[in-house]
């Protein structure tokens, strides 16, 4: 899934407790992460990974476990650089909005963490994580009693049906599409073009709601991952009675512990307690603070300075999806009292320089860029050893099937770029094909990336024309099929622990459409064949097919140059209690925070 700067992942295989990740090799803030430390980090990401378990009704029953020392009251301040692209849960596929979703919305299921790296799927609105039958092709969910939206209306199976059907509508273009595809195939919009707002609905043979408390999904093949998929914020419930279609993005209705009191797009979002939320129905979230004051437009450098100084409101503040600004890392780790107020963890995202295959058709150019890019320089801009490791391929260390030594472009040996090899590939390429338009977000981070890309590619004779994009709509802009860009930095992390949640969303030719995650517009017959094959196989067999697909995509197509694997390093104020790294979100866990005084 998209994170704020990459695809937001439900990082359910990265079982890293807060502060448990050893991030060393950064005595000087120059982004010099040794291979030894990178390997150690990747080994910990794998060794500490626990398989997700599906929990029963007892584990799904609230209230959530009390956080030691927790107190009620006060307002948490949140620093965030870019505004939110969406608040309509059906459109949420980005980590900043995903953090907000944890406070505002609820779905049929959710992920529950034990603080030690263990993750389970529990029933959120459902009484448990779901019951399968018919060899995994049928899934039944029963709704809990007493769950109401912020207006006091009880949620029924009709609201669940409405939530699913509205995702077939044309105005929903930026959220996940797994469920729609599973139920109705790649041309799912044709099955319900008005999104269920008219008289037509999905047939009971696909989606059944026999009574107010029961929802039954019928699939053509087994779908053992359904409970994990339904835990994505993009499948949170939208109550039918208050759905304003496209306008819902500006004023959604809450089911979670907080609701929106004020929203000024790109400037501020204020949340207050939702008095209709019943903690007895929620085994995941707490409601300690009275409200949240989310401030947009605060650069990472300003966030870091404020949190280091720890004065005034900064004592009650957190970073949402931002991290410690790279040039100030030494100021944080060099002061024991400040370093104590950090959370660290390995993320599941692979950052990559994605090529628009409709425009960059010459593979020699794509290969040359892949050899030329300077991962070392880019990682330095992210915080060096605290920000990431060199990526040799398009699978992350947190993903089942990861091959640490699979490095067809020699990224590990020449992380600063193989200039000679790139020049060799470009020797016979016409000048017109060596002029590439690069899109970047208008943030401090985006500026650093722009400089690194221009510098690296300029050395091999590529003329980079950089175009700035508003960060809040970054993925929306590059997600247009007719976008005017040749390349852009994107990233992806698994939606749950399966290579299928990486290969399918971003390399499936059936996903080439406006708003799709296939930002390269890759539509290759062999890739299509391998995807279809893997989706019908058992996990052990499928792993080999996903590996074959990965190798073919990287070597024979090359739709994206792998750049770096990301790490999280965030800072919070001294009055924040309950702070820990969330294995599920890869950021600070917002479901358990409180103010100490």
């Amino acid at each position: 899934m998209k994170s704020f700067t990459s695809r937001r992942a439900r990082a359910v295989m990265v079982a890293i407790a807060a502060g448990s990740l050893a991030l060393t090799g950064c005595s000087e803030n120059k982004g010099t992460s040794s291979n030894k430390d990178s390997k150690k980090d990747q080994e910990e990401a794998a060794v500490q990974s626990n398989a997700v378990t599906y929990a029963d009704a007892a584990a799904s029953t609230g209230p959530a476990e009390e956080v030691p020392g927790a107190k009620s009251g006060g307002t948490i301040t949140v620093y965030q650089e870019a505004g939110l692209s969406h608040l309509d849960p059906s459109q949420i596929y980005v980590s900043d909005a995903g953090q907000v979703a944890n406070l505002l919305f609820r779905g049929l299921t959710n992920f529950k963490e034990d603080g030690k790296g263990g993750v389970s799927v529990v029933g959120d609105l459902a009484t448990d994580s779901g019951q399968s039958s018919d060899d995994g092709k049928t899934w039944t969910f029963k709704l809990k009693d007493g769950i109401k939206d912020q207006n006091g209306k009880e949620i029924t199976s009709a609201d669940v049906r409405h939530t699913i059907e509205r995702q077939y509508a044309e105005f929903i273009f930026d959220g996940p599409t797994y469920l729609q595809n599973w139920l109705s195939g790649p041309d799912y919009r044709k099955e319900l073009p008005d999104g269920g707002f008219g008289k037509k609905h999905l047939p009971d043979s696909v989606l059944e709601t026999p009574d107010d408390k029961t929802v039954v999904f019928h699939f053509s093949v087994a779908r053992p991952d359904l409970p994990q998929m339904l835990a994505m914020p993009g499948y949170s419930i939208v109550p039918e009675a208050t759905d304003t279609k496209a306008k819902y993005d500006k004023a959604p209705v809450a089911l979670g512990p907080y609701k929106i009191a004020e929203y000024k797009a790109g400037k501020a979002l204020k949340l207050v307690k939702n008095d209709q939320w019943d903690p007895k129905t929620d085994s995941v979230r707490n409601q300690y603070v009275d409200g949240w004051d989310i401030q947009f437009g605060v650069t990472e450098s300003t966030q870091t300075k404020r949190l280091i100084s720890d004065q005034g409101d900064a004592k009650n503040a957190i970073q949402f999806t931002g991290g410690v600004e790279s040039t100030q890392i030494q100021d944080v780790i060099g002061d024991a009292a400040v370093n104590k107020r950090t959370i660290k963890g390995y993320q599941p995202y692979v950052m990559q320089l994605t090529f628009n295959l409709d425009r960059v058709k010459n593979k020699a150019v794509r290969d040359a860029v892949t050899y030329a890019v300077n991962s070392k320089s880019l990682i330095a801009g992210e915080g060096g050893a605290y920000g990431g490791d060199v990526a040799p391929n398009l699978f992350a260390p947190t993903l089942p099937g990861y091959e640490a030594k699979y490095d067809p472009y020699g990224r590990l040996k020449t992380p600063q770029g193989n200039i000679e090899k790139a020049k060799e590939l470009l020797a016979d390429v016409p000048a017109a094909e060596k002029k590439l338009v690069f899109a970047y977000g208008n943030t401090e981070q985006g500026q650093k990336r722009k400089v690194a890309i221009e510098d690296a590619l300029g050395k091999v004779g590529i003329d980079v024309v950089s175009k700035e994009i508003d960060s809040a709509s970054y993925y929306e802009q590059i997600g247009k099929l007719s976008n005017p860009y040749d390349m852009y930095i994107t990233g992806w992390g698994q939606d749950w622990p399966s290579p299928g949640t990486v290969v399918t969303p971003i390399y499936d030719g059936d996903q080439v459409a406006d708003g799709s995650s296939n930002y390269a517009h890759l539509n290759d017959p062999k890739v299509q064949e391998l995807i279809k094959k893997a989706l019908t196989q058992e996990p052990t067999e499928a792993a080999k097919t996903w590996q074959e697909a990965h190798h073919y995509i990287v070597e024979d197509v090359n739709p994206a140059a792998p750049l770096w694997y990301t790490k999280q390093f965030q800072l919070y104020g001294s009055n924040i209690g309950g702070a820990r790294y969330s294995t599920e979100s890869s950021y600070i866990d917002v479901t358990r925070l409180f103010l100490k005084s």
Side-chain angles (χ1 to χ4, degrees), residues 341-546:
R341 298 187 279 111
T342 61
I343 61 110
K344 309 175 183 73
Y346 213 110
Q347 295 186 302
Y349 309 130
V350 182
M351 301 305 294
Q352 54 207 49
L353 182 61
T354 298
F355 302 109
N356 181 341
L357 298 181
D358 291 334
R359 293 169 60 98
V360 190
K361 297 181 179 181
N362 189 337
K363 186 172 182 290
V365 174
R366 303 198 297 272
D367 288 352
V369 170
T370 304
Y371 279 109
V373 286
N374 188 334
S375 288
K376 193 172 180 179
S377 175
L378 286 160
I379 292 169
E382 305 296 315
Y386 285 81
D389 290 330
V390 177
N393 57 66
L394 298 173
F395 277 8
T398 59
L399 186 70
Y402 173 68
E403 301 171 272
K405 296 180 180 179
Y406 178 53
D407 185 18
Y409 293 94
R411 305 296 305 142
L412 297 175
K413 293 180 181 178
T414 55
Q416 74 283 1
N418 188 334
I419 304 302
E420 294 308 313
K421 180 65 175 178
K423 285 183 176 179
E424 178 186 320
L425 287 166
L426 292 171
D428 298 322
V429 173
E433 294 183 33
K434 290 189 282 189
K435 183 176 183 178
L436 300 176
V437 180
F438 171 64
Y440 68 97
N442 64 340
T443 62
E444 287 183 336
Q445 199 175 45
Q447 290 286 345
K448 292 176 185 176
R449 294 173 180 179
K450 165 185 173 288
V451 172
I453 293 296
E454 288 177 343
D455 179 65
L457 300 191
K459 290 177 180 177
V460 299
I462 292 176
D463 179 13
V464 178
V465 180
S466 298
K467 299 289 186 181
E468 185 178 276
I469 299 179
D470 175 56
S471 285
S473 62
Y474 180 79
Y475 277 101
E476 185 177 335
Q477 296 303 313
I478 66 172
K480 295 177 180 178
L481 284 180
S482 60
N483 78 68
Y485 315 114
D486 295 310
M487 53 187 183
Y488 19 77
I489 290 179
T490 66
W492 190 270
Q494 69 240 30
D495 289 316
W496 59 86
S498 166
T501 68
V502 173
V503 178
T504 304
I506 50 178
Y507 301 121
D508 184 352
D510 290 336
Q511 305 282 346
V512 176
D514 282 333
S516 162
S517 307
N518 189 337
Y519 298 110
H521 310 158
L522 174 59
N523 189 358
D524 184 279
K526 184 169 182 178
V527 175
Q528 297 303 99
E529 177 188 333
L530 291 170
I531 287 174
K532 288 186 173 84
K533 181 180 177 182
L535 291 176
T536 61
Q537 294 175 313
E538 290 300 312
T540 304
E541 291 180 331
K544 298 176 183 177
T545 306
W546 290 126

